Amino acid sequence: MTVWADRHPISAAMLNPALISAVLATAAQGYDKESDQGMPWALGFIVTPMVLHRPTRQALPISTRTHLAAWAGQHPVIRAGFPARAQALAETVKEGTRFGLAHDALTLQPEGRMRSTFRRPRGFKTPPELDQILRKASLTGRWLAKAESPATVFAVLGVAP
């Protein structure tokens, strides 16, 4: 992990632990809404590159009715680049998870599932791009809850846990 002071300012702004924690917490809320259980923590390594990469975020379905495998088949270019993006963000996701746990935005259950305790402050006006990222994180959490297992999600997207 790069020392905070040594990070490029754009990277520090766009990949800061608070943002990653908010993405993970929002996805965990969506997952929990769909399945009544916490999101497997490993799916955080899928959600984050899906919603932070603008072309992938824009290509995500508008509802959870689209099957993940069908979506991946319709977007071969996105799927082809996904493993590299996921790997590049792995340390960032770990850092965001630690931040969320330390600041009570996330809780980790014994069986390796994350739950969210994150709530947006009342009256907080979310900037448009952040709002889109968080909305897609919620959708992605609900969508991944419909997959058979995290292993299936990883396999469809060509990522090894």
Side-chain angles (χ1 to χ4, degrees):
M1 184 172 16
T2 306
V3 177
W4 190 258
D6 295 340
R7 295 180 192 201
H8 189 277
I10 293 173
S11 176
M14 293 304 296
L15 300 177
N16 72 72
L19 172 63
I20 304 305
S21 178
V23 166
L24 295 172
T26 303
Q29 284 173 344
Y31 192 99
D32 192 26
K33 182 186 285 186
E34 193 68 39
S35 70
D36 291 325
Q37 55 183 335
M39 180 176 81
W41 73 271
L43 289 180
F45 295 93
I46 299 296
V47 171
T48 305
M50 280 189 145
V51 301
L52 291 184
H53 182 248
R54 183 176 285 145
T56 303
R57 182 175 65 240
Q58 291 172 339
L60 288 171
I62 58 172
S63 80
T64 60
R65 289 184 293 197
T66 302
H67 193 276
L68 178 64
W71 177 84
Q74 294 167 354
H75 298 90
V77 173
I78 289 174
R79 187 194 170 283
F82 189 81
R85 285 191 298 280
Q87 185 175 9
L89 289 175
E91 287 302 316
T92 303
V93 172
K94 290 176 188 175
E95 187 177 27
T97 302
R98 287 190 299 270
F99 184 90
L101 292 168
H103 293 280
D104 297 322
L106 294 169
T107 60
L108 196 56
Q109 299 172 321
E111 60 274 4
R113 292 184 176 270
M114 279 194 295
R115 288 203 184 256
S116 172
T117 56
F118 173 74
R119 299 285 179 258
R120 290 188 204 184
R122 249 190 154 88
F124 179 74
K125 179 73 173 138
T126 309
E129 186 163 10
L130 176 59
D131 186 57
Q132 183 187 41
I133 289 169
L134 294 178
R135 285 180 190 273
K136 289 296 186 172
S138 178
L139 170 82
T140 303
R142 293 189 338 267
W143 191 37
L144 295 179
K146 292 185 171 204
E148 293 175 27
S149 70
T152 301
V153 173
F154 277 79
V156 166
L157 295 173
V159 179

